[in-house]
Amino acid sequence: MTTLFVSHGAPTLAIEPGKTGQLLAEIAAKLPRPEAILVVSAHWDTRVPTVSLATQPETIHDFAGFPPALYAKQYPAPGAPALAQQVAALLQSHDIAVQAHPQRGLDHGAWVPLMLMYPEADIPVTQLSIQSRSTPAQQFALGRALQALHAQNVLILASGAITHNLSDFFTSDREAAPLPYVAPFADWMAERIAQQQWTSMLNYRADCPQGVRAHPSEDHLMPLFVAAGSANGVAKRFTPENTYGILAMDAYLWAE
């Protein structure tokens, strides 16, 4: 199995999938069917890495002010408590402290892309939190500790954003032209990933002129660092679209 990073965009992706939704469906159709899925979402942010032991995770609508149709969406996938315990054991074996949550559900960073990829909701899934108060290097190390999961047919799905500056939100037009920093930052990150220049990638706030503008806070980029750490092989970049002028919807799939 492999690692997939997706930019999950606005929650409305679930009802307005566009080119990104089409891409996610196509990727899922080409992948072998996973035995289970571990999601690392930008929307579960804790001080200590935490896994969910939920046997039937609830669909968390962790947003406000969106159309009623979005709140009606449910993703009733079974939980994966055994996988969560295995994740905890892997992290502990790498001297990474970890906690467990008995019933944490799936936030929209998890269920929105999963709904587009596996609409039958029949693959067990659990979540692992990110730590935005840590460093990119620590999140990369977290991913490194998870590499053994691939041999057990577990898909690691990291869900965040290549660009995420909501203070720059200026339009409700999904097709708006992106602000000038969006493409340069996305391309800069793509070059580092393609060449496996991990030190520079992890130091993006200093090395990339658009780094801080693209991510005033780091929560939505932390899943990418976990993904890069967990991945084997070469990354394939997908650039389906930019949305609302500020969100590059890039995705990366790693293959041997």
Side-chain angles (χ1 to χ4, degrees):
M1 191 42 70
T2 188
T3 295
L4 172 65
F5 170 83
V6 301
S7 298
H8 61 247
T12 47
L13 187 68
I15 56 176
E16 299 175 354
K19 294 178 181 178
T20 300
Q22 179 181 350
L23 169 67
L24 295 179
E26 291 172 352
I27 289 175
K30 293 177 181 178
L31 287 175
R33 179 179 169 86
E35 294 293 328
I37 300 171
L38 174 66
V39 181
V40 181
S41 167
H43 290 279
W44 191 15
D45 189 358
T46 61
R47 290 189 176 274
V48 176
T50 306
V51 291
S52 173
L53 299 175
T55 57
Q56 191 65 56
E58 68 169 315
T59 303
I60 303 174
H61 299 88
D62 50 338
F63 40 75
F66 289 95
L70 193 55
Y71 297 92
K73 292 289 187 183
Q74 295 291 321
Y75 192 76
L83 172 59
Q85 292 172 342
Q86 184 179 5
V87 169
L90 283 172
L91 297 182
Q92 290 169 344
S93 72
H94 286 77
D95 297 320
I96 299 174
V98 61
Q99 296 179 353
H101 192 292
Q103 58 187 17
R104 163 75 186 196
L106 303 176
D107 58 60
H108 81 269
W111 66 261
V112 169
L114 285 173
M115 181 172 287
L116 298 168
M117 294 178 68
Y118 302 106
E120 298 85 0
D122 57 354
I123 301 176
V125 59
T126 189
Q127 280 197 230
L128 170 66
S129 65
I130 54 119
Q131 292 72 59
S132 66
R133 300 174 186 85
S134 71
T135 66
Q138 287 173 307
Q139 298 295 279
F140 187 85
L142 190 73
R144 277 281 187 256
L146 302 174
Q147 285 185 327
L149 294 178
H150 293 315
Q152 300 176 39
N153 202 27
V154 173
L155 172 64
I156 298 175
L157 174 61
S159 177
I162 286 295
T163 55
H164 193 265
N165 186 338
L166 296 187
S167 66
D168 281 344
F169 190 84
F170 67 96
T171 178
S172 59
D173 180 5
R174 194 178 192 278
E175 308 298 329
L179 294 180
Y181 70 88
V182 172
F185 178 79
D187 290 344
W188 184 93
M189 190 61 72
E191 290 176 2
R192 299 312 181 275
I193 293 171
Q195 299 171 19
Q196 298 187 359
Q197 294 179 354
W198 304 133
T199 299
S200 181
M201 183 189 77
L202 298 174
N203 198 38
Y204 77 98
R205 297 181 82 78
D207 285 7
C208 179
Q210 299 85 16
V212 175
R213 178 78 182 274
H215 289 277
S217 61
E218 295 192 279
D219 53 354
H220 273 70
L221 203 54
M222 289 305 195
L224 177 63
F225 303 135
V226 177
S230 73
N232 292 313
V234 178
K236 181 177 182 180
R237 181 192 186 191
F238 300 89
T239 56
E241 58 185 335
N242 293 285
T243 59
Y244 304 104
I246 61 169
L247 299 174
M249 299 298 288
D250 292 20
Y252 288 91
L253 178 67
W254 277 265
E256 292 286 358

